[in-house]
Amino acid sequence: MNHLAVRLKYGAGLFLRPVLLPVQFALLLFTFRLGRLRAARARGDRGAISIELALAVIALVVVAGAVAAALVFLQQKVTKKVEEEPKYPGGGAATP
C-alpha cells in the first residue's frame, strides 16, 4: 500500500474507535450472556435459561441501538459537512 492509503487507514481507525466503543462493549456483553446461557443449558436449569435468554436479547437490542446511534451520528456529521461546503453538489451554497 502506498503512504497515503496507510495514513487514511490509520486516520479512519482513530475516528471509528471512539464511535464504535459502545458497540464493542455491548457486543462483549452479548457474548458473555450467551456463554452464561450455554452454561445454564448444560446444567439443565430452565429458570436460568429463560433469564439468560432474556438478558441476551436485551443486550442484542442494546447492540442494535448503539449501531443505529452511530449511523445517525455519522449521517448528521456528513450532512452538516455537505451543507457547509459549496464544492459538494447539493450543498447549501450550491442551491439557488
Side-chain angles (χ1 to χ4, degrees), residues 43-94:
R43 287 191 315 265
D45 188 358
R46 292 188 184 267
I49 291 172
S50 62
I51 290 171
E52 292 299 332
L53 190 57
L55 291 173
V57 168
I58 290 170
L60 189 60
V61 169
V62 169
V63 169
V67 168
L71 288 175
V72 167
F73 171 74
L74 184 62
Q75 180 262 336
Q76 289 173 350
K77 185 175 181 177
V78 168
T79 301
K80 182 180 174 187
K81 179 82 171 175
V82 167
E83 288 175 354
E84 289 176 357
E85 294 290 329
K87 65 181 178 181
Y88 295 124

Side-chain angles (χ1 to χ4, degrees), residues 6-24 69-79 81:
V6 171
R7 291 189 67 166
L8 285 175
K9 184 178 177 182
Y10 178 74
L14 286 178
F15 172 73
L16 288 177
R17 278 191 195 118
V19 173
L20 295 178
L21 192 60
V23 175
Q24 290 175 346
L71 288 175
V72 167
F73 171 74
L74 184 62
Q75 180 262 336
Q76 289 173 350
K77 185 175 181 177
V78 168
T79 301
K81 179 82 171 175

